[in-house]
Each structure stands twice: as structure tokens, then as C-alpha cells.
Amino acid sequence: MSTSPAKMSLTGIKPTGEPHLGNYIGAIKPALKLAEEYEAMYFIADYHALITVRDPQLLRHYTRSVAASWIAAGLDPDRVVFYRQSDIPEIFELTWILSCMTGKGLMNRAHAYKAARDRNQEAGKADLDAGINMGLYNYPVLMAVDILIMSTDVVPVGRDQMQHVEIAADIAGSFNHVYGDNFKFKVPQAIVPEAETGHTLPGVDGRKMSKSYDNTIPLFCSESQLKKLVRRIPTDSTPVEEPKDADSSNVFQILERFAPAETAAETRRRLQAGGMGWGELKNQLFDVLNTQLSPLRERYNALMAPDSELDALLTAGAEKARKRAVPVLDQVRKAIGIK
Ligand code: TRP
């Protein structure tokens, strides 16, 4: 058996909305699977959300809701480290330090900032920086700190976040170049979890399930809402007795991702043989989803109660995370001449 410590993976979750089935299949499940292979850490990037969420009630709600969602979906806070970014004050001190090591030009080239300027240009605004706050501009530095302060080996991300991890590696390189004799940050690497490369889940209008299309099935919606949303998924007018192609059915595509393999195979056969109508298929999808999601929904609702153990779990997680962060900041301070 190898005695070298397991590599560490860090997943950051921005609390800006409620998760849906597409997030569950495409992001949450693959990220949770990493705990089998890595020493896994997960955190809620609540200070990242402040860039866009300006309603204090809502920010508080999203933060708790995202935490409850991940635990309900299977994150075990005893086995992994799970914390809130805002509970780690060391992150914000290191953010200033690394801002001083980060070229402004590097930030000018960051995708999210460039996209915001492009939107201003398209809208015909004279000032391309209109409406852009320094939080958005500095976002990559804060994210770099999230990663570097935990001595992260790998960062599982979607394609849109790849550049941010490269920037984190760049910033680590700049620091190491100057102060490397005294302290060196571990240089992180981005990885794209498996499900990301597979096909996506259709939403209730047949397009990709996405918050921006307003076509999602929320992961923890009530049973009656689940039934209503499943009914809304579009189907064609093929009569009950005629054979149907499972692969071109949105309803079947969702079923296939949630039902046991034999159940899905049997349903595929029945659709192809004719005699199974879309109504029956929808009933089956509802049953499969409801059976799988009921226990998760219950756990989620219990955690969302105001006096649940959720806050204590996050506080305990923060303590574990700070054990990693404090010595790193300490060494950095010494290396730069502050202590
Ligand atoms: N920027 C990420 C997103 O929008 C969230 C995030 C913040 C993150 N800090 C991180 C992800 C550190 C990985 C590591 O999804």
C-alpha cells in the first residue's frame, strides 16, 4: 500500500440559485464521486455570489440551500471537508497579498470580465466598464486564493471555469518566482469530471435543462410540482399502439439517467414494440424520479429548518479547513516580510 497522502481536490460552489435535475446529474454527482479518489474538499463561495446577489435574505437563503442540497445529494460532512468561504478569514488577507502579485493585464483578459465588456459594447454603451464592479474584475484572484490556500492538487471544473484555474496556476507561479526560496504554493491543475463530457439532460421544453431557459425540474420540488413538470415535457402525437423511438424522446432521455439499467432497457423495448403511450411513459418517469428523490427531498427539508444541524456542520467544516489555511498564510506572511 502506498503511504503518500492522497491528492486533494477542491470544488467551489457559487450559491446563486436552487439546484435542478441537470445540475444533479451534470455537476453534483460527478463532483461527489471525486471523494472516492481524492481527499475531497467542497466549499460554498458565498463571497463570490456577492458580486451579483444584492438581497441579504436571498444570499443567506441560497447559501443554506446550496449547503443543504449537497448534503442531501450525498455529501458526507464527516468524510470530506465542507465549509463556507466567508468562515475562512485567511482567504481575504491572502486575496490582498496575491492581488499585489497579479498583473492587471492578466485580469483584463479574464473571460467573465471580457464578456461583461462585450455586452456593454453590444448595448451601445460608451463606457465599456459600465456596471462592472471590482468584485467581478478581481473574481479570478479570489478564486485563485480559494484554491491556493488549501494546497489544492486538482480543481474539477466545467469548461467555462478552466481559464480561472489557469490564472490561479499563473498567480502561484508569479509568487513562487519571487519568494520561492522561502515558500512555494502548490500549482493546481484543472480536471473536467466525466459527466460533463456526456450528453446533457433535456428540460421541460425539450431544450437543454438550464436556469436561463426557465425549463428546469428543481431537485427538491414537491411531489405535485414534480408531477406537473413531468407532464409538461413535450411529446409528439404518435398514437399509443405505434412503435416509438426511445432515443428521440425527451421523457425517455431523463428516465434513462435515473432508472435502473434494466428498467430503462425494458421500457425501450416496450416503446419500440408499440402499445406503450407517452402518458404511460410519463407516469413511469414520475414514479422513478419520485422514488429516487423523496429521501433526498426529506433530508433537504429537514436541513433547511431554521434550527437544523446545518449551521453546526458548516462551522465544524470551517474549523477543519482553517487547519489547512492558517499555516499557509503564516508561511506566506513570513516569506513576504510582514512577519
Ligand atoms: N467560479 C466558480 C463558479 O462560478 C466557483 C468557484 C469559486 C470555484 N471559487 C472556486 C470553483 C474555487 C473551484 C475552485 O462555478
Side-chain angles (χ1 to χ4, degrees):
M1 227 173 83
S2 155
T3 51
S4 64
K7 290 204 165 187
M8 215 275 282
S9 83
L10 176 74
T11 299
I13 312 144
K14 210 160 67 164
T16 48
E18 318 237 320
H20 53 72
L21 296 189
N23 301 137
Y24 180 62
I25 292 291
I28 301 179
K29 277 181 93 168
L32 290 176
K33 222 167 169 299
L34 291 167
E36 293 168 11
E37 201 184 326
Y38 295 94
E39 186 191 333
M41 295 180 89
Y42 303 83
F43 77 97
I44 304 157
D46 48 356
Y47 264 126
H48 272 107
L50 183 63
I51 292 162
T52 50
V53 183
R54 286 298 158 73
D55 175 338
Q57 304 257 36
L58 199 61
L59 183 54
R60 221 170 273 132
H61 169 77
Y62 282 155
T63 300
R64 292 192 90 233
S65 136
V66 156
S69 301
W70 281 67
I71 295 174
L75 183 149
D76 179 352
D78 289 331
R79 281 195 47 223
V80 303
V81 182
F82 188 41
Y83 60 99
R84 240 183 330 229
Q85 180 186 38
S86 59
D87 282 337
I88 318 293
E90 290 74 21
I91 287 175
F92 307 96
E93 186 172 338
L94 187 59
T95 298
W96 174 255
I97 298 171
L98 291 189
S99 295
C100 298
M101 322 272 146
T102 302
K104 178 171 176 286
L106 188 65
M107 297 298 96
N108 289 341
R109 292 190 291 277
H111 293 325
Y113 172 62
K114 277 184 22 188
R117 279 174 64 94
D118 287 350
R119 280 195 297 274
N120 278 337
Q121 184 151 42
E122 273 158 36
K125 300 228 170 97
D127 176 7
L128 294 187
D129 282 330
I132 299 177
N133 61 52
M134 285 303 291
L136 175 76
Y137 191 69
N138 286 333
Y139 190 110
V141 181
L142 182 56
M143 178 157 164
V145 171
D146 293 331
I147 297 167
L148 299 178
I149 204 164
M150 298 303 170
S151 309
T152 305
D153 291 288
V154 298
V155 187
V157 284
R159 306 225 161 263
D160 64 316
Q161 295 293 318
M162 215 83 129
Q163 189 201 25
H164 287 147
V165 182
E166 285 158 16
I167 290 175
D170 266 11
I171 295 176
S174 307
F175 183 97
N176 294 350
H177 181 68
V178 180
Y179 299 106
D181 286 345
N182 299 319
F183 177 75
K184 268 199 175 81
F185 283 112
K186 193 177 263 182
V187 180
Q189 223 187 347
I191 54 168
V192 179
E194 252 167 63
E196 178 94 18
T197 45
H199 54 117
T200 52
L201 212 62
V204 294
D205 61 357
R207 292 186 292 175
K208 174 188 172 191
M209 190 180 290
S210 161
K211 215 176 99 181
S212 39
Y213 293 148
D214 199 17
N215 65 354
T216 67
I217 301 180
L219 191 52
F220 304 112
C221 67
S222 68
E223 206 170 303
S224 60
Q225 203 194 350
L226 183 61
K227 194 168 269 171
K228 220 165 64 195
L229 288 170
V230 167
R231 294 225 173 282
R232 203 181 288 167
I233 304 170
T235 48
D236 61 25
S237 53
T238 318
V240 174
E241 37 332 318
E242 275 190 32
K244 297 171 188 67
D245 174 33
D247 289 315
S248 54
S249 157
N250 294 313
V251 185
F252 183 80
Q253 278 170 39
I254 303 177
L255 182 85
E256 207 179 20
R257 304 296 284 275
F258 284 89
E262 308 96 79
T263 312
E266 169 64 14
T267 301
R268 176 190 289 280
R269 264 195 303 278
R270 289 192 53 216
L271 284 168
Q272 258 149 15
M276 184 179 196
W278 296 129
E280 187 187 344
L281 179 64
K282 285 183 172 182
N283 286 340
Q284 189 190 14
L285 175 61
F286 167 76
D287 285 337
V288 162
L289 288 177
N290 197 44
T291 306
Q292 283 213 21
L293 299 180
S294 288
L296 276 64
R297 187 193 299 137
E298 254 171 59
R299 180 87 172 110
Y300 173 83
N301 288 334
L303 286 165
M304 285 304 280
D307 55 353
S308 79
E309 76 263 37
L310 186 65
D311 298 292
L313 286 174
L314 289 171
T315 306
E319 251 168 65
K320 288 197 256 175
R322 287 190 74 202
K323 288 217 169 78
R324 277 187 92 95
V326 169
V328 169
L329 179 62
D330 212 44
Q331 291 176 81
V332 168
R333 287 169 125 222
K334 283 190 193 120
I336 61 178
I338 287 294
K339 236 167 81 181

